């Protein structure tokens, strides 16, 4: 099986500050990878470099064997590299049905149509109800997003990403801000992601990470210091040092 | 299929018939108001025609401001471009068929929209607002200096459109111009209602709320906005052409900052993002302006100012927006 997503030796620095130092990462279809690391480790920078919001100083990103390093963010999305946001970015005036419909229309090249309505397009409607149902939010399909609970908004965020039929999905803290009582719904949703999809999740919640990931990558100071199974990560001396060192620094600076 | 029907039955967004009914009611309202105006003010059809032309400008402004979230104080640049395009076509190129003039106006407006949009989309927020003002001044100055083509500050005179269908001449009473204008407005209104509910319209609304999210869905934000600017330009240009056809003269005021600012005021008075609000705002503002300036020629601007403050304070979503909100509240209580 070939790598569906390959990051090769990514480097980025701002002046003297190196935020990405030779990051290499490869993922295959069906991978469930968690990216963790202490605050300021460069996780957000990594996402920005990979999604094309920030140009790397050197290195490359490839999707299904094709180099996408020179493509802009929207072109990468069209190639199948889709992300979700740490803080939900939804259209407060629109309904979940409209959100998913827009994603389907965009994916199928119909978002530029100046006539017609998705309500009259059976294939779009079918995909909308299917997509919302898969995440258990079909009962609120026609409520405005501003009127639905935050946990449901987070689920919609995932439904939206899935409606774009990605090859690689980057989830940026999918459970951030969700009340404890609702995280099980998010976990179920994550467990139900399509089998052939490669998923990279960034999160702080170790319970979630250990339940979700079959592989854990630890980033510290812009470098990958661990890449292995969840069972091994807790035993790794460098990882402990990175986290503990960070805590120690934080304490001493108070 | 059952799920599909359940969703359609429960909701309001995707239930087609509901929307269609609302659009048809809107169209009926436009035609009814136009008819009442015709019967009540048969001697003032020139004003009614001007209101119709400005309504097209405000509708066009609603497309970029209400649906895309672009604040602009230079939208008359597109209106004036349409007016001059139609006028120049008639005076210099002998294109005097009213439909052809309207088409030329729409094309001129769309071209101006593309140009203005390409410049405007370079900026965001306040910078964008300043760019819009710069654009309308540049258009104004260009028309002023190119007096061989535009008549400069004297205005472009000598426009004499042919009778509509070769039968209905543009007479002193202005009946033909009025009916011609209302016909254009009605057709444009229905087309725009379809446009804002189309996938493209949805994409624009998405951009208004969060452009970053839209680009994360793989859609081109600036490409979409530029396209909307061209469509908006065509609508404004139609309004300008209607003004040129009905008054048979084009003046520099048609692409002035004042006209731009007034259009924005009318849109805010009526309410943004519904197209209905644009019509309500234009009619209210222009009728009120005419009414007040007739009864008190000295203090009419003061009264207009008071009206604006009252609307902004007591109907922050505009007259139409606030009215629908109240109706919804009453409806939900039942």
């Amino acid at each position: 099986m070939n790598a569906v997503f390959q990051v090769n030796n990514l480097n980025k620095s701002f002046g003297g500050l190196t935020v990405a130092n030779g990051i290499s990462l490869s993922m295959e279809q069906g991978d469930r990878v968690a990216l963790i690391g202490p605050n300021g480790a460069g996780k957000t920078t990594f996402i920005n470099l990979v999604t094309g919001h920030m140009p790397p100083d050197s290195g490359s990103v490839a999707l299904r064997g094709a180099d996408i390093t020179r493509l802009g963010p929207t072109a990468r999305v069209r190639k199948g590299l889709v992300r979700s946001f740490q803080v939900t970015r939804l259209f407060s005036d629109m309904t979940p049905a409209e959100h998913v419909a827009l994603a389907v229309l965009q994916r199928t090249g119909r978002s530029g149509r100046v006539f017609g309505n998705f309500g009259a397009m059976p294939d779009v409607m079918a995909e909308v109800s299917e997509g919302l149902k898969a995440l258990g939010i079909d009962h609120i399909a026609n409520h405005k997003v501003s009127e639905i609970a935050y946990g449901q908004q987070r689920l919609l965020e995932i439904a939206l990403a899935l409606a774009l039929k990605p090859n690689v999905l980057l989830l940026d803290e999918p459970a951030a801000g969700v009340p404890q009582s609702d995280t099980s719904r998010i976990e179920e949703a994550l467990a139900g992601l399509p089998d052939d999809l490669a998923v990279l999740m960034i999160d702080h919640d170790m319970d979630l990470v250990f339940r979700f990931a079959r592989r854990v990558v630890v980033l510290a100071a812009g470098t990958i210091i661990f890449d292995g199974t969840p069972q091994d990560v807790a035993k790794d001396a460098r990882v402990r040092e990175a986290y503990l060192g960070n805590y120690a620094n934080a304490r001493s600076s108070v | 299929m059952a799920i599909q029907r359940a969703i359609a039955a429960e909701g309001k967004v995707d239930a087609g018939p509901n929307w269609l009914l609302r659009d048809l009611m809107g169209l009926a309202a436009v035609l009814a108001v136009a008819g009442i105006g015709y019967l009540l003010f048969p001697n003032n059809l020139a004003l009614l025609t001007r209101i119709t032309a400005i309504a097209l400008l405000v509708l066009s402004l609603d497309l970029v401001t209400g649906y895309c979230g672009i604040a602009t104080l230079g939208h008359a640049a597109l209106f004036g471009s349409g007016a001059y395009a139609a006028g120049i076509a008639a005076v210099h190129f002998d294109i005097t068929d009213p439909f052809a003039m309207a088409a030329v106006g729409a094309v001129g407006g769309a071209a101006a929209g593309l140009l203005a949009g390409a410049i405007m989309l370079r900026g965001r927020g306040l910078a964008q607002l300043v760019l819009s003002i710069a654009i309308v001044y540049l258009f104004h100055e260009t028309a002023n200096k190119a007096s061989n083509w535009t008549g400069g500050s004297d205005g472009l005179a000598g426009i004499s459109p042919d009778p509509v269908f070769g039968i209905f001449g543009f007479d002193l009473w202005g009946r033909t111009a009025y009916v011609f204008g209302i016909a254009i407005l009605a057709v444009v209104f229905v087309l725009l209602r379809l446009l804002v509910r189309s996938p493209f319209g949805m994409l624009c609304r998405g951009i208004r709320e969060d452009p970053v999210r839209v680009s994360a869905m793989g859609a081109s934000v600036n490409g979409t906005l530029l396209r909307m600017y061209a469509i908006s330009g065509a609508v404004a240009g139609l309004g300008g052409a209607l003004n040129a056809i009905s008054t048979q003269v084009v003046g520099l005021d048609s692409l002035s900052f004042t006209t731009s600012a007034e259009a924005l005021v009318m849109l805010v008075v009526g309410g943004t993002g519904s197209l209905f609000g644009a019509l309500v705002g234009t009619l209210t503002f222009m009728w009120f302006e005419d009414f007040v300036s007739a009864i008190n020629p000295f203090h009419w601007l003061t009264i207009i100012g008071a009206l604006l403050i009252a609307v902004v304070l007591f109907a922050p979503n505009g007259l139409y927006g606030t009215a629908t909100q109240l109706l919804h509240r009453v409806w939900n209580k039942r």
Side-chain angles (χ1 to χ4, degrees):
Chain A
M1 190 73 231
N2 276 336
V4 63
F5 180 59
Q6 194 143 27
V7 175
N8 272 321
N9 203 18
L10 271 191
N11 288 291
K12 179 79 185 175
S13 53
F14 298 109
L17 179 70
T18 303
V19 288
N21 188 5
I23 299 178
S24 295
L25 179 74
S26 151
M27 285 168 70
E28 290 176 6
Q29 273 196 345
D31 264 358
R32 296 286 184 271
V33 182
L35 180 70
I36 62 173
N39 282 332
K43 300 189 294 285
T44 306
T45 305
F46 176 71
I47 289 274
N48 286 337
L49 289 172
V50 165
T51 53
H53 284 94
M54 194 190 273
D57 295 339
S58 64
S60 67
V61 182
L63 193 65
R64 285 186 296 169
D67 191 332
I68 57 166
T69 319
R70 308 229 171 277
L71 295 182
T74 53
R76 293 186 195 204
V77 174
R78 282 183 217 141
K79 295 258 178 203
L81 178 66
V82 172
R83 69 168 297 185
S84 75
F85 292 92
Q86 190 180 336
V87 178
T88 48
R89 304 193 78 123
L90 297 168
F91 314 125
S92 56
D93 228 20
M94 292 194 200
T95 65
E98 286 179 300
H99 278 82
V100 177
L102 195 53
V104 173
L105 290 165
Q106 169 62 30
R107 190 194 81 226
T108 53
R110 284 177 285 181
S111 67
R113 282 204 187 170
V114 294
F115 54 88
N117 185 262
F118 73 90
M121 302 176 188
D123 63 315
V124 178
M125 285 301 284
E127 229 184 292
V128 166
S129 47
E130 214 173 282
L132 292 175
K133 205 170 183 193
L135 289 160
I137 47 174
D138 49 330
H139 59 292
I140 45 157
N142 291 312
H143 292 252
K144 274 190 182 171
V145 160
S146 54
E147 294 163 1
I148 69 176
Y150 193 69
Q152 292 168 329
Q153 292 186 18
R154 302 256 50 172
L155 291 169
L156 175 57
E157 181 100 13
I158 297 172
L160 196 50
L162 290 179
L164 294 165
K165 295 240 161 94
N167 302 108
V168 176
L169 178 61
L170 307 175
L171 294 170
D172 196 353
E173 300 199 27
V178 176
Q180 203 65 43
S181 54
D182 286 358
T183 44
S184 61
R185 278 298 304 127
I186 307 264
E187 266 180 55
E188 270 174 51
L190 294 178
L193 291 174
D195 287 334
D196 56 350
L197 182 63
V199 186
L200 180 73
M201 180 178 78
I202 299 179
D203 215 299
H204 290 295
D205 184 345
M206 287 304 153
D207 288 342
L208 190 62
V209 165
F210 284 122
R211 268 199 284 268
F212 169 77
R214 295 196 279 269
R215 182 177 146 203
V216 177
V217 174
V218 184
L219 199 64
T223 312
I224 291 181
I225 58 166
F226 176 87
D227 188 342
T229 63
Q231 288 76 34
D232 291 341
V233 70
K235 297 180 217 149
D236 191 274
R238 290 191 64 190
V239 174
R240 277 224 300 268
E241 195 191 329
Y243 270 90
L244 289 175
N246 192 281
Y247 285 127
N249 287 342
R251 284 228 183 97
S252 64
S253 68
V254 169
Chain B
M1 281 298 122
I3 299 159
Q4 193 181 316
R5 222 167 291 135
I7 288 183
E10 198 219 333
K12 42 215 173 217
V13 276
D14 39 10
N18 212 342
W19 278 101
L20 203 62
L21 187 71
R22 214 170 132 183
D23 289 357
L24 288 177
M25 274 165 61
L27 179 64
V30 168
L31 294 177
V33 170
I36 292 169
Y38 185 91
L39 293 176
L40 286 185
F41 308 102
N43 298 322
N44 216 352
L45 291 182
L47 173 70
L48 298 186
T49 310
R50 170 140 182 94
I51 292 178
T52 310
I54 296 294
L56 286 165
L57 168 63
V58 180
L59 278 177
S60 137
L61 181 62
D62 200 12
L63 291 181
V64 295
T65 300
Y67 286 92
C68 298
I70 301 172
T72 162
L73 278 168
H75 215 63
L78 318 187
F79 178 82
S81 297
Y84 275 109
I88 288 169
V91 173
H92 296 284
F93 297 99
D94 230 17
I95 299 172
T96 48
D97 178 74
F99 288 104
M101 285 175 69
V104 171
V107 171
L114 277 178
L115 181 63
I119 300 169
M120 293 265 300
L121 296 176
R122 301 256 149 206
R124 284 272 180 274
L126 275 181
Q128 199 169 46
L129 201 64
V130 172
L131 279 176
S132 74
I133 298 172
I135 288 167
V136 76
Y137 275 119
L138 279 175
F139 273 67
H140 187 273
E141 205 40 35
T142 307
N144 189 21
K145 286 286 167 4
S147 53
N148 284 343
W149 287 96
T150 62
S153 55
D154 295 335
L156 180 64
I159 302 167
S160 48
D162 295 340
V164 177
F165 302 128
I167 305 168
F168 306 103
F170 287 90
D171 54 9
L172 214 55
W173 296 102
R175 276 190 215 119
T176 307
Y178 182 59
V179 174
F180 183 68
I182 291 295
I184 290 180
L185 182 68
V187 171
V188 167
F189 180 74
V190 170
L191 288 178
L192 291 187
R193 286 295 307 172
L194 293 178
L195 175 78
V196 298
R197 274 186 295 119
S198 70
F200 176 73
M202 246 162 70
L203 198 59
C204 288
R205 274 160 54 210
I207 290 172
R208 180 190 63 194
E209 303 228 357
D210 191 346
V212 175
R213 163 46 84 193
V214 169
S215 62
M217 289 166 80
S220 158
V221 170
N222 274 358
T224 305
L225 292 180
L226 199 58
R227 199 161 159 224
M228 190 54 135
Y229 238 103
I231 295 172
S232 171
V235 174
L238 267 176
L242 173 61
N243 210 37
I245 292 167
S246 61
T247 61
Q248 313 200 345
V249 64
V250 181
L252 283 176
D253 63 317
S254 67
L255 27 75
S256 66
F257 173 72
T258 315
T259 308
S260 305
E262 274 184 1
L264 190 61
V265 168
M266 291 180 217
L267 181 59
V268 172
V269 165
T272 58
S274 67
L275 298 180
F276 290 104
L279 296 182
V280 170
T282 312
L283 187 62
T284 309
F285 184 91
M286 293 195 68
W287 169 78
F288 195 72
E289 189 184 54
D290 184 69
F291 176 70
V292 174
S293 62
I295 53 170
N296 192 333
F298 300 106
H299 297 296
W300 67 279
L301 270 174
T302 318
I303 303 173
I304 295 272
L307 164 82
L308 293 184
I309 292 174
V311 167
V312 171
L313 286 184
F314 298 111
N317 292 324
L319 294 174
Y320 177 79
T322 307
T324 48
Q325 241 177 9
L326 287 176
L327 278 179
H328 267 290
R329 216 172 288 164
V330 172
W331 194 258
N332 287 342
K333 263 188 194 154
R334 285 193 350 177

